[in-house]
Amino acid sequence: MKKLISIKNIIVSFAFIIVLWQIVFLTSDFNEALFPSPYQALQAFLEMIKDGSIFVHIGTSMYRFGAGYISAIVAAVLLGLVLGWFKGIFQYVNPLVQLLRPISPMAWMPFIVLWFGIGDTPAIVIIFIAAFFPVLLSTVSAVGGINPIYFKVSKNFGIKQPQIMWKVIFPAAFPQIANGIHLALGTAWIFLVAGEMVGAQSGLGYLIIDARNNLRADILLATIIVIGLIGLLLDTLLKWAEKKILKAWGGAL
Amino acid sequence: MYIEVKDAVKTFKQNSGEFTALDHVSLDIERGEFICLLGPSGCGKSTLLNAIAGFDKITEGSIKINGEEVTQPSIHNVTIFQNYGLLPWRSVLKNVELGLEAKKIPKEERREIAEKYIDLVGLSEFKNSHPNQLSGGMQQRVSIARALAVSPDIIFMDEPFGALDAITRMKLQDDILNISKQENKTIIFVTHDIEEAVFLADRIVVMTPNPGRIKSVVTVPLTHYRERTSEDFLLVRNKIFELFNMKPDDNIEYFI
């Protein structure tokens, strides 16, 4: 029942924006080539499906996204566990992290293109940078926030490093780490498109630039919607996974 | 002597000088005894327990178990905490197996031992549940099973039933008393509940705060199976009340 209501909400809100879009289209006097109607965007979308190009671009983008996002998670969680455990070291690393974190990954783009050329790598590196810091910081803070009684119990039962890391620290911190991984997803997805707009010859971000260069506003809008929908889908998947994890963890944080 | 606490002093640094949690405390405990450390908060009873268990170091003096100086916690002496200390991501069974894993006991044997002690605390039905699905009393039973599973010599209990309701608490007191006699463990039990101490202990160590000192050690001359309402029970209880100066003078005249 709850699911039905939320589906109803989604349909109503999407229908509302499409109707609004159509009204603006009818009442404004923008050139059709600059401001397509919902129908034209749909036509462009169907056209891309028909020639299969959209799937190729989505596939390329998903590969880059997966590579950058997953490698960032692995690196950030491992480093975060170590830094969370060795608080003394983190005190020296933290200023550096705080300095690097607010820099938009796109600022590194010129260097990235110079070092790695164009193709898959720049987008992967951009996504890596975008996802790395939120996951790192949430992992460090998760380890720092572990209830000290778990350590007391481990000490009592003679559980030492390295076992304590995967038997106690990682599982105890995991729900909060999962939350950080979920938050990083949105940021990483945003920067995928940005990364592909500059350093790539394929993918959804490239499609945007390509549509602009060809003055195909309909393709542009259709692509934008596809990007939004995939982002929504990924977020829903992760939200679902996070819920499952919390349940398996006995609902504890 | 099995456990020997000699002139133990524990001071904490505070912003305004030093706070003496334990002031020259000496105590001897025999193997198999059930000792209650009883007193109001701030009397150093938990500090003393943590020091004997090896979690905290004392500032001066010595603590020996079986002739050996205590320097760190050991799997031979397991502590049961007020907030259970169960790992919420592990099932009851896996929680009880925790200490056995550290002892490198093979998987099948681990399961066997764990099931035996889960059965002993009456939770067989719940062995695959997670701690958060259990009530406080049941969670504390799991942590008792986990402690017993590694067959420790001493069990330390730090206000283990403090977070439970009165009826559950009494039930668990019965159980721990039975278990302690069955398994013949040395138990050191911290509490601020006089009745609990009288019900459980062979000897009650009465402590007073500011600074933390042992005021008196009371031997409880009762059998293992105690009636909470029996005359002897009330007599011992009165004696403890007197030690805390909590009984009004007996010069009141009664009219019925």
Side-chain angles (χ1 to χ4, degrees), chain B residues 27-240:
Chain B
L27 179 66
D28 290 335
I29 296 167
E30 299 270 15
R31 198 184 281 270
E33 266 194 303
F34 199 129
I35 299 289
C36 275
L37 306 180
L38 175 68
S41 47
C43 72
K45 56 190 192 298
S46 286
T47 312
L48 181 58
L49 184 96
N50 273 315
I52 305 175
F55 289 114
D56 289 331
K57 287 201 171 63
I58 46 172
T59 321
E60 278 173 50
S62 84
I63 296 174
K64 285 180 182 164
I65 295 178
N66 227 351
E68 267 181 64
E69 195 75 30
V70 174
T71 51
Q72 56 176 4
S74 141
I75 197 160
H76 304 297
N77 317 315
V78 175
T79 304
I80 291 172
F81 302 96
Q82 182 174 11
N83 35 6
Y84 325 126
L86 298 175
L87 309 179
W89 57 90
R90 283 180 170 232
S91 66
V92 167
L93 198 59
K94 296 290 284 174
N95 259 293
V96 177
E97 283 183 26
L98 183 72
L100 301 168
E101 289 170 18
K103 281 179 108 178
K104 301 209 163 60
I105 290 172
K107 202 173 175 183
E108 275 164 35
E109 207 181 329
R110 250 176 13 218
R111 182 125 312 179
E112 214 172 285
I113 298 172
E115 282 182 346
K116 177 183 152 195
Y117 285 102
I118 292 169
D119 197 36
L120 182 75
V121 297
L123 287 177
S124 296
E125 271 178 76
F126 299 95
K127 65 179 181 192
N128 293 318
S129 305
H130 277 78
N132 289 30
Q133 295 167 301
L134 306 178
S135 69
M138 289 155 94
Q139 291 189 48
Q140 195 57 289
R141 281 167 196 274
V142 177
S143 97
I144 291 169
R146 183 174 67 181
L148 291 171
V150 296
S151 49
D153 302 323
I154 309 171
I155 298 177
F156 297 102
M157 305 184 90
D158 193 357
E159 299 195 30
F161 309 145
L164 307 176
D165 65 85
I167 291 169
T168 310
R169 195 184 311 157
M170 279 192 243
K171 183 78 190 63
L172 273 162
Q173 285 166 2
D174 285 338
D175 291 349
I176 197 72
L177 198 56
N178 287 337
I179 289 169
S180 81
K181 296 311 163 199
Q182 256 173 48
E183 307 274 321
N184 197 24
K185 304 287 182 199
T186 308
I187 297 185
I188 302 180
F189 189 108
V190 164
T191 182
H192 54 235
D193 181 342
I194 294 173
E195 206 144 324
E196 184 168 68
V198 176
F199 185 73
L200 294 172
D202 297 324
R203 284 192 297 152
I204 300 172
V205 178
V206 177
M207 298 182 72
T208 49
N210 300 321
R213 278 187 185 140
I214 294 180
K215 180 161 187 181
S216 166
V217 178
V218 180
T219 305
V220 183
L222 301 172
T223 55
H224 294 332
Y225 300 99
R226 295 168 188 182
E227 281 287 340
R228 289 170 209 275
T229 47
S230 75
E231 208 132 306
D232 292 341
F233 187 93
L234 297 178
L235 217 69
V236 181
R237 208 185 69 149
N238 277 357
K239 193 167 160 192
I240 309 281

